[in-house]
Amino acid sequence: MSSSKPVFIAVIGAGGVGKCFLSQLKALAARRQSPKLSLCYISTSKKALYDASYSAIPISDALEKLSAASQVPQALPQLADYLAAAPAKVVLIDNTSSEDVAGAYPVFLGRGISIVTPNKKAFSGSYKLWQDIFSAASTSGAKVYHESSVGAGLPVISTLKDIVDTGDRVTKIEGVFSGTMSFLFNSFAPTTGSGGKWSAEVAKAKELGYTEPDPRDDLNGLDVARKLTILARLAGLPVESPTSFPVESLIPKELESCSSGDDFLQRLPEFDAKMEETKAAAEKQGKVVRFVGSINVASEEVKVGLERFDASHPIAALKGSDNIISFYTERYGSNPLIIQGAGAGGEVTAMGVTSDLIKVLNQIA
Amino acid sequence: MSSSKPVFIAVIGAGGVGKCFLSQLKALAARRQSPKLSLCYISTSKKALYDASYSAIPISDALEKLSAASQVPQALPQLADYLAAAPAKVVLIDNTSSEDVAGAYPVFLGRGISIVTPNKKAFSGSYKLWQDIFSAASTSGAKVYHESSVGAGLPVISTLKDIVDTGDRVTKIEGVFSGTMSFLFNSFAPTTGSGGKWSAEVAKAKELGYTEPDPRDDLNGLDVARKLTILARLAGLPVESPTSFPVESLIPKELESCSSGDDFLQRLPEFDAKMEETKAAAEKQGKVVRFVGSINVASEEVKVGLERFDASHPIAALKGSDNIISFYTERYGSNPLIIQGAGAGGEVTAMGVTSDLIKVLNQIA
């Protein structure tokens, strides 16, 4: 059953996730004798490593060679030509968060190049792009896997696909989909004790590296909205875009125009009283406040924002920066199937990419 | 990429899970045009339906026709001959809990017949059988999937495989692996309130259909020990058998020889005081008692029995008859990857079987 032909691997992106992925790829290539995995292309936004005869780039020193490389990355249409002409099957690993690369997926897939990626952009962009991606894949037989686009290495996408593919019906999906938001609310409104001031928790999260360089990129809720868009579509709702449903931003209107993240953080304490009110109102009901996303399939309602939960609810009891995702389905009834754990970080995001790659290899090789 | 040949499906077992599976298979065959799924064999322990030309058995009335059939099941070696001679690829679905069928997996796999099953017996029998199964599969290229052997449709086995296959290292696995035990302890020792008497909870669980006909078959811990054996082996420990590590039985020694389950239930109240003591001792520490299984990979320790947990621990906070499985790994650090939900029931067990079948079809067809 095993083929003696290699499978060519092309990698775009060598940042945090990309570096972790390369080290996992190296170990995988060493363990997996058949098919032989041959890295034929690797690029950052500035540099690239490849040659016309698809020579194998040694994975162990690919990063070092890449930083010394003099070639620039191929433009996406040329890259598609290059990979489509390879003398064996190709899997393209997109470890960027680039909208441009995402937009080219239909071209790659249409030419038989499989794609594995943690990049949310393609699957949470326009519904048209979503349709183009899956129709290109279905026509050519190329595979497209994106487990790490929601919850990093947690088995979220694969579980939802299994639920749908086996004929169950999702009724509701609910959860905490952002490690940053999880950390912020677990410390700001803990189930026991009183928690810190909102602005102080945001500053602390930034210091610990839990936020984007500008924390507003987490607080605007768009990252969560993108993840909800992906899950809603997989559950059968033709959601048009991550801005086509209500998303509550935690950036005070007055601070939207701050010139920098630091400027924003400096002024955030002015709004602590308002967040304190929100917390107190929940406490009055014996509840805590959390930043959640939810999809109600029957009513086709998708929303992102603050909700109140009993202290005993699994969403309230979350720890650290963990994600939690609850799938309510007809088969599982009122007790949902729950998946919980770290939903961000280089190693676990790369793990989702590597496990997708293994699934693709099992099918194409 | 899609083949025009059918894939033949052979099904052994038409009990609770088998019936649910057939209805899921019918829906799958209707949705999935390529490959065409062709049911060529179905049997119970008494009857069978098949013919020498592998004619397609209409899935919708397979059960009805089976109950009216006059053929007896083929002996396992003959069934292997029959299926190996089929004019296309074959997947055997073992929906029994038979040790005999399990023992024949290496023969089927060795002849290129893929296997999908919720049957724990093959994977929790002798370590020799485990090795024979996977070496037969790896030699012939046939696939063997058994998601539903632990936690029914919950993505437990697939997640553990992804963790291991991507090069992460499991340090500990811990959880509640029995819906019966979950229900019993969630009601006997709830995190709030005082709970019922032990014998009354066991009687209630039996009435609700949550136990085996003889509740001792749950209370002896063997079912949990079998699941732990499977997970430990997947995590890399060569566990010899489910009786090769400590398993705490909740059957009082004096009641092991009761002639029937009813007899056992009648005498169980004599031992309520002892269980009450166990509960009180935990409460004194502010904890609750739960029946858990755990695997410590570094120390190669596998054990099943009563443990105490803080009320805020996810294992203590479990509801109804849910299972919970926590994977501690090097990548996930001190916050485990957790999977939780119903771990028993015909529909969700069949769901694990159907999703495995889809994975096999994606690879062989």
Side-chain angles (χ1 to χ4, degrees), chain A residues 110-362:
Chain A
R111 302 189 67 177
I113 299 155
S114 292
I115 292 178
V116 168
T117 185
N119 184 351
K120 284 185 276 292
K121 298 286 166 58
F123 311 98
S124 61
S126 75
Y127 193 62
K128 166 88 168 51
L129 178 57
W130 170 275
Q131 287 175 308
D132 288 350
I133 285 171
F134 290 100
S135 82
S138 128
T139 305
S140 74
K143 309 297 171 193
V144 51
Y145 277 72
H146 55 103
E147 183 60 82
S148 285
S149 63
V150 179
L154 298 176
V156 176
I157 305 265
S158 56
T159 299
L160 178 52
K161 274 193 191 166
D162 282 349
I163 288 170
V164 172
D165 289 349
T166 60
D168 196 1
R169 237 180 293 254
V170 177
T171 52
K172 190 171 95 171
I173 302 173
E174 181 183 54
V176 173
F177 295 91
S178 151
T180 315
M181 291 294 200
S182 179
F183 176 84
L184 286 175
F185 283 92
N186 298 344
S187 352
F188 170 65
T191 50
T192 54
S194 60
K197 276 195 179 153
W198 176 248
S199 61
E201 295 299 343
V202 175
K204 190 165 98 195
K206 190 184 170 196
E207 255 170 57
L208 291 168
Y210 287 172
T211 70
E212 297 292 322
D214 184 336
R216 286 177 295 181
D217 291 334
D218 295 295
L219 296 176
N220 65 14
L222 182 60
D223 174 68
V224 176
R226 286 196 176 278
K227 292 169 184 166
L228 269 271
T229 301
I230 297 173
L231 297 183
R233 288 172 176 174
L234 287 173
L237 296 183
V239 171
E240 186 44 48
S241 84
T243 56
S244 65
F245 53 84
V247 177
E248 185 176 353
S249 168
L250 297 185
I251 308 171
K253 277 236 169 331
E254 297 86 337
L255 302 190
E256 276 171 2
S257 56
C258 283
S259 57
S260 72
D262 287 339
D263 190 20
F264 166 77
L265 276 178
Q266 208 145 28
R267 291 196 49 199
L268 193 56
E270 300 166 26
F271 300 86
D272 277 345
K274 197 167 163 269
M275 283 300 281
E276 216 48 54
E277 264 173 46
T278 307
K279 175 157 84 172
E283 274 171 6
K284 233 175 166 170
Q285 301 180 315
K287 300 191 175 196
V288 293
V289 67
R290 293 289 181 267
F291 193 83
V292 300
S294 66
I295 299 164
N296 188 317
V297 177
S299 66
E300 304 202 358
E301 236 184 319
V302 183
K303 61 180 182 193
V304 172
L306 294 173
E307 306 261 354
R308 297 169 186 180
F309 294 90
D310 286 330
S312 67
H313 194 286
I315 285 184
L318 213 56
K319 297 267 192 313
S321 60
D322 275 4
N323 287 14
I324 184 168
I325 297 97
S326 302
F327 294 105
Y328 293 82
T329 79
E330 284 182 3
R331 278 186 203 137
Y332 280 93
S334 57
N335 272 19
L337 190 171
I338 299 177
I339 292 164
Q340 183 180 329
E347 281 293 346
V348 295
T349 305
M351 167 186 159
V353 176
T354 306
S355 72
D356 277 351
L357 173 60
I358 293 171
K359 281 162 199 155
V360 171
L361 293 174
N362 285 343

Side-chain angles (χ1 to χ4, degrees), chain B residues 3-262:
Chain B
S3 127
S4 57
K5 271 197 174 182
V7 168
F8 289 108
I9 309 288
V11 178
I12 311 183
V17 173
K19 283 184 180 123
C20 293
F21 170 72
L22 278 179
S23 105
Q24 293 183 20
L25 178 66
K26 184 184 151 200
L28 178 68
R31 278 198 308 277
R32 194 173 180 113
Q33 298 306 316
S34 168
K36 199 177 166 311
L37 302 180
S38 185
L39 181 65
C40 71
Y41 182 91
I42 180 168
S43 69
T44 60
S45 57
K46 301 260 166 59
K47 299 185 169 200
L49 214 58
Y50 66 96
D51 68 24
S53 52
Y54 305 91
S55 310
I57 303 165
I59 302 171
S60 1
D61 48 22
L63 283 173
E64 210 175 317
K65 283 200 171 158
L66 182 60
S67 71
S70 55
Q71 283 171 302
V72 297
Q74 299 198 42
L76 294 166
Q78 279 69 56
L79 181 59
D81 288 343
Y82 171 75
L83 296 178
K89 294 208 168 127
V90 178
V91 183
L92 173 66
I93 316 283
D94 171 18
N95 281 332
T96 73
S97 56
S98 155
E99 217 156 326
D100 288 344
V101 179
Y105 287 1
V107 174
F108 288 102
L109 291 165
R111 302 189 67 176
I113 298 155
S114 293
I115 292 178
V116 169
T117 184
N119 185 350
K120 283 184 278 293
K121 297 288 165 59
F123 311 98
S124 61
S126 75
Y127 193 62
K128 166 90 168 52
L129 178 57
W130 170 274
Q131 288 175 308
D132 288 350
I133 286 171
F134 291 100
S135 81
S138 126
T139 305
S140 74
K143 309 297 172 194
V144 50
Y145 277 73
H146 55 104
E147 183 61 81
S148 284
S149 63
V150 179
L154 298 177
V156 176
I157 304 265
S158 54
T159 299
L160 178 52
K161 274 193 191 165
D162 282 349
I163 288 170
V164 172
D165 289 350
T166 60
D168 196 0
R169 237 181 293 254
V170 177
T171 52
K172 190 171 96 171
I173 302 173
E174 181 183 54
V176 173
F177 294 90
S178 152
T180 315
M181 291 294 199
S182 179
F183 176 82
L184 287 175
F185 283 92
N186 298 343
S187 353
F188 170 65
T191 51
T192 54
S194 60
K197 276 194 179 154
W198 175 249
S199 61
E201 295 300 343
V202 176
K204 191 165 99 195
K206 190 186 169 193
E207 255 171 55
L208 291 169
Y210 287 170
T211 70
E212 298 292 322
D214 184 337
R216 286 176 296 181
D217 291 335
D218 296 296
L219 297 176
N220 64 13
L222 182 60
D223 174 69
V224 177
R226 286 196 175 279
K227 292 169 183 165
L228 269 270
T229 301
I230 297 173
L231 298 183
R233 287 172 177 175
L234 287 172
L237 296 183
V239 171
E240 186 44 48
S241 84
T243 55
S244 64
F245 52 84
V247 177
E248 183 175 354
S249 168
L250 297 186
I251 308 172
K253 277 236 167 333
E254 297 87 337
L255 302 189
E256 275 171 1
S257 57
C258 283
S259 57
S260 71
D262 287 340

Side-chain angles (χ1 to χ4, degrees), chain B residues 317-358:
Chain B
L318 214 56
K319 297 266 192 312
S321 59
D322 275 2
N323 288 13
I324 185 169
I325 297 97
S326 302
F327 295 104
Y328 294 82
T329 79
E330 284 183 4
R331 278 186 202 138
Y332 279 94
S334 57
N335 272 19
L337 190 170
I338 299 178
I339 292 165
Q340 182 178 330
E347 282 294 346
V348 295
T349 305
M351 167 187 159
V353 176
T354 305
S355 70
D356 277 351
L357 172 59
I358 293 171

